[in-house]
Every structure is written in structure tokens, then in C-alpha cells.
Amino acid sequence: MVLNDSDPPVIGLSTYSEQAKFLAWDTEAMLLHRVYADCVVKAGGVPVLLPPVSTKYDALVGRIDGLVLTGGADVEPSRYGQEPHEKTYIRPERDAFEFGLFEAARAAGKPVLGVCRGLQVMSVALGGTLSQHLPETLGDATHQPAPATFGTSTVSLVDGTRAAAILGQETKVQCYHHQAIDRLGSGLIASGHAADGTVEAAEVPGEFVLGVQWHPEQDSDDVRLFAALVNAVREAK
């Protein structure tokens, strides 16, 4: 897709497929927290929702300019050679869809931003592994204090990385994850850490392939990551 200067980049957002109640209905729905779309709009892009129902990954990627792999359920552990922990909950259909999208986006040179689960999808797709339940490895639930309750953390960014160029040396974040990167996937470097050593950001040098373990969409006053994605599309024209 060739953009004119006046064309806002189209940013694809992967979505959930979940049983949901709304109005008179209790049905399977394709859905996503609205704040993702709001952040894309505020950053200067046009959001498009991508439901996990197609295998036409190249065609989908051909119709967007950038991709956000959003938060959600855990990645199926068989994808990185492990048995599931009792606290692991999976959505294999969504895994297949997002792994396909990620591969197609990279092949097409499209910028990719991973959010929480999205970072984990990126790393596992590149051969990495995950720690399946942080409260067991860290001894506390700092990163996911309670259901539907975001934790807060300060992330230190690594000098010279894209993450640091966007966010500075340090940023305060909202997080909600019980899993995290164990071994990074091939080609990724860790570009941000929490005080406890948890990898909070990772990226592929030389590409706009950047994932963060926290939830930047929860702070609509700070859309720097989404703006960086939009700007990367424009710079690639």
C-alpha cells in the first residue's frame, strides 16, 4: 500500500474471540478493549480490527500499514516445548492467527508493536520460551495483583535501543501479566526490564519489531509507542 502525505496509516489490531454478554445477547464475539483503537486514533492512525478467523495472512497484512498484536490469553505452551501450568489459559485459534499475521507482517516489512501477550507471541514465534507463572518464580503477584486490576511498575530502558529512543531511560507503566519472557526468541534483544529483572520490552534491531510486556493503551495521555508505530509507517513510504 502506498500512502499519500495526507493518508493516515491503517493500523491492524488483533482481537479476542470470546463468549460475551451485551444488550440481549450472550454469544461468541470478536472484541477488543476500545482504548487500543482510541490510542491509534490519537497517534494519527486509523484502527482496523482483525478477528482471528482467517488464514489469509498475506492478504490481511497487504491491507494494513502497521500491526498491533494486542493483549489476551496465554500462548499455548506446546509452541515452546512445555506442558501447560495449571494457571495457564489458552486460545489456540488466536495463537495460529497471530503467529501467521506476525510472520506475514515481517515478510512484508510492516512495523509491528506487541502489547503484553503480543510481546510473548513475537518471542515464541522466533523460538523463545516463557515463564508460565511469575508468582511462583518471583514470589509475589506484583505484575498481576488481582483479577481486572493493573499493577504498576517502573521500567528501565536500555540505552541505544528503539524502546529507549521512544520512552527515555525510564517509564512508569501499568501491567497485567502472570507470564513473562524466559528465553528470548532469535534476533530479539531485551530493551527494558522491571526492577525484579523481568523482561518488559524486547525488539529486533534494525526493524520496527517492538514488544512491551505492559499495557500502554491504558494511558491515553501517553501514546508514544502507538505514535512511533504510525511514524514508522510514514518513514517507510
Side-chain angles (χ1 to χ4, degrees), residues 94-173:
R94 186 174 172 189
D95 287 350
F97 180 69
E98 292 185 350
F99 276 65
L101 277 183
F102 178 57
E103 181 179 359
R106 286 199 76 202
K110 301 290 177 75
V112 182
L113 174 64
V115 173
C116 197
R117 165 191 161 87
L119 167 61
Q120 296 171 9
V121 166
M122 290 163 51
S123 187
V124 173
L126 295 172
T129 62
L130 303 178
S131 175
Q132 288 194 53
H133 195 53
L134 288 179
E136 288 185 354
T137 57
L138 297 178
D140 61 55
T142 302
H143 295 276
Q144 191 182 72
T149 301
F150 287 92
T152 58
S153 181
T154 299
V155 174
S156 298
L157 289 313
V158 177
D159 286 344
T161 62
R162 185 182 297 274
I166 297 168
L167 301 170
Q169 293 184 329
E170 186 176 278
T171 187
K172 296 186 183 303
V173 305

Side-chain angles (χ1 to χ4, degrees), residues 15-138:
T15 69
Y16 295 69
S17 176
E18 299 288 343
Q19 194 74 17
K21 293 182 179 181
F22 53 97
L23 300 176
W25 310 106
D26 184 350
T27 186
E28 184 80 5
M30 305 298 174
L31 50 86
L32 185 67
H33 302 264
R34 174 176 168 158
V35 285
Y36 283 101
D38 289 340
C39 285
V40 168
V41 170
K42 193 169 182 178
V46 174
V48 173
L49 302 188
L50 305 176
V53 294
S54 174
T55 59
K56 305 297 184 181
Y57 309 121
D58 291 337
L60 287 170
V61 165
R63 287 163 171 78
I64 62 175
D65 302 307
L67 174 65
V68 179
L69 297 172
T70 64
D74 301 324
V75 176
E76 189 171 23
S78 64
R79 287 184 175 271
Y80 50 95
Q82 294 183 15
E83 294 296 319
H85 186 280
E86 62 179 9
K87 297 292 187 181
T88 296
Y89 64 102
I90 61 173
R91 297 292 185 270
E93 180 184 46
R94 186 174 172 189
D95 287 350
F97 180 69
E98 292 185 350
F99 276 65
L101 277 183
F102 178 57
E103 181 179 359
R106 286 199 76 202
K110 301 290 177 75
V112 182
L113 174 64
V115 173
C116 197
R117 165 191 161 87
L119 167 61
Q120 296 171 9
V121 166
M122 290 163 51
S123 187
V124 173
L126 295 172
T129 62
L130 303 178
S131 175
Q132 288 194 53
H133 195 53
L134 288 179
E136 288 185 354
T137 57
L138 297 178

